[in-house]
Amino acid sequence: MTDEIVVIPGDGIGNEVVPATRRVLEAVAPGFEFVEAGAGDAVKAETGTALPEATREHVADADATLFGAAGETAAEVILPLRSAVDSFVNVRPARAYPGVDAVRPETDLVFLRENTEGVYSGHESRLNENVSTLTRVVTESASERLAEYACDYVDDDAFTLVHKANVMQETDGLFRDTVARVADEHGVETDEVLMDAFATHVCLDPGQFDVVVCPNLAGDVLSDLAAGLVGGLGLLPSANVGPDNALFEPVHGTAPDIAGEGVANPAATMLSAAMLLDYLGHEASGQRVREAVETTLEQGPRTPDLGGSATTADVTEAVIDRL
């Protein structure tokens, strides 16, 4: 059976790094069936909606989706796309690569972030001109799904549970208790760190952490913090995993300052594609892509963000040659 991959470039440099990454996928796994779809600022300007229903349906029905980035319409695009695959966990590796300047070159950790609720549930209200409110939602069922995934991910080893239950006693308390209970049922060891303390510890000694399980907002902020330790958001891939399919995207945004210049770094998108290959069961191909990208990061050519002068096309050709 042929895997169907939806490809959504989006806005800005998404229109450069996603087509480049599609070429890599075609080189390493030529049997894929690709479906091009649109979303983002340009689509909204043309059609009146940032995420057409046809795109959402394609994503919901496909085996996996590769997404670039959205600009001003990001909230109208990425949250519904994650909902389309019923993504309950966001997987964000943060790793330093040889040849790339890093604040902490020993950094090599993975964030497993709850992806459906918390303060991103969308329950905001403006009571009057001086007062606005935000309702934080945490459920036992969502916390359980994340914990089950985490136990499978670490293969009965261990993970770090990050929370702020000392202050948010009901919400993070429920999250902490549920995740810890599921881990205990699976015989998985956990250690707990308060999220603000984690922010300090990961900067001082990132090597003490491996897999980090955390609520939605904490995972968003702390994984971006870890990006600063390894060389920036341009190196971070991610996966939004649901029960039946998944959405893969670089963590970086549209980079409007360099969009259209042909110098965007495609590494994060290509590493996201390696995660996509792993997810679909093509682990050997995923590893080949990962190794080709890592060798290119180490030996060049490199784009200007990494101190080089190469174009996106130069890097793409180098990765494909190494494949």
Side-chain angles (χ1 to χ4, degrees):
M1 181 179 177
T2 300
D3 292 313
E4 182 180 279
I5 311 300
V6 175
V7 179
I8 308 174
D11 300 309
I13 62 170
N15 291 289
E16 299 161 56
V17 296
V18 169
T21 300
R22 174 173 171 171
R23 290 189 59 207
V24 169
L25 285 171
E26 290 171 335
V28 76
F32 286 153
E33 177 183 344
F34 291 95
V35 177
E36 293 278 353
D41 297 355
V43 171
K44 184 172 184 177
E46 181 179 346
T47 68
T49 179
L51 182 64
E53 184 58 28
T55 296
R56 193 184 188 284
E57 290 177 357
H58 282 314
V59 170
D61 294 339
D63 296 295
T65 296
L66 181 67
F67 174 66
E72 295 297 323
T73 58
E76 301 171 58
V77 174
I78 190 56
L79 295 180
L81 283 178
R82 290 172 180 168
S83 175
V85 300
D86 191 19
S87 171
F88 59 89
V89 58
N90 180 235
V91 184
R92 286 192 179 185
R95 178 185 174 196
Y97 296 99
V100 177
D101 287 339
V103 175
R104 289 292 186 184
E106 70 272 31
T107 305
D108 186 2
L109 65 159
V110 178
F111 291 88
L112 303 181
R113 163 192 171 197
E114 200 288 317
N115 214 25
T116 65
E117 49 187 31
V119 295
Y120 291 172
S121 301
H123 301 295
E124 288 189 274
S125 299
R126 175 61 66 91
L127 301 184
N128 57 49
E129 63 180 13
N130 295 316
V131 180
S132 59
T133 65
L134 171 64
T135 300
R136 186 170 191 259
V137 178
V138 174
T139 65
E140 184 177 30
S141 58
S143 302
E144 282 180 340
R145 285 209 297 180
L146 174 63
E148 293 283 354
Y149 185 93
C151 290
D152 289 340
Y153 190 92
V154 300
D155 193 23
D156 297 333
D157 189 7
F159 60 77
T160 298
L161 173 55
V162 173
H163 58 80
K164 191 65 175 172
N166 61 325
V167 174
M168 295 179 285
Q169 297 178 9
E170 292 300 326
T171 50
D172 263 25
L174 177 60
F175 176 83
R176 177 200 60 198
D177 293 346
T178 303
V179 173
R181 171 179 57 77
V182 172
D184 184 64
E185 292 170 353
H186 284 265
V188 173
E189 294 184 9
T190 62
D191 62 296
E192 297 184 24
V193 183
L194 294 176
M195 65 177 69
D196 46 350
F198 177 89
T200 298
H201 296 328
V202 76
C203 293
L204 295 175
D205 181 18
Q208 67 183 294
F209 300 111
D210 184 13
V211 176
V212 179
V213 177
C214 46
N216 203 336
L217 177 61
D220 193 4
V221 173
L222 295 173
S223 60
D224 279 14
L225 173 65
L229 303 180
V230 303
L233 290 174
L235 295 171
L236 263 64
S238 76
N240 300 283
V241 179
D244 300 313
N245 56 8
L247 169 75
F248 299 83
E249 57 173 325
V251 176
H252 65 66
T254 59
D257 55 324
I258 61 168
E261 297 182 9
V263 295
N265 184 355
T269 313
M270 292 178 181
L271 292 169
S272 297
M275 296 176 73
L276 181 153
L277 289 163
D278 292 342
Y279 172 79
L280 292 177
H282 306 293
E283 290 91 349
S285 295
Q287 186 59 24
R288 288 179 61 203
V289 170
R290 199 170 288 109
E291 290 174 356
V293 172
E294 291 176 6
T295 301
T296 303
L297 287 171
E298 181 178 9
Q299 300 179 8
R302 300 190 186 97
T303 45
D305 61 305
L306 298 180
S309 59
T311 64
T312 307
D314 293 335
V315 173
T316 304
E317 293 300 332
V319 170
I320 292 174
D321 286 346
R322 287 177 169 124
L323 285 172

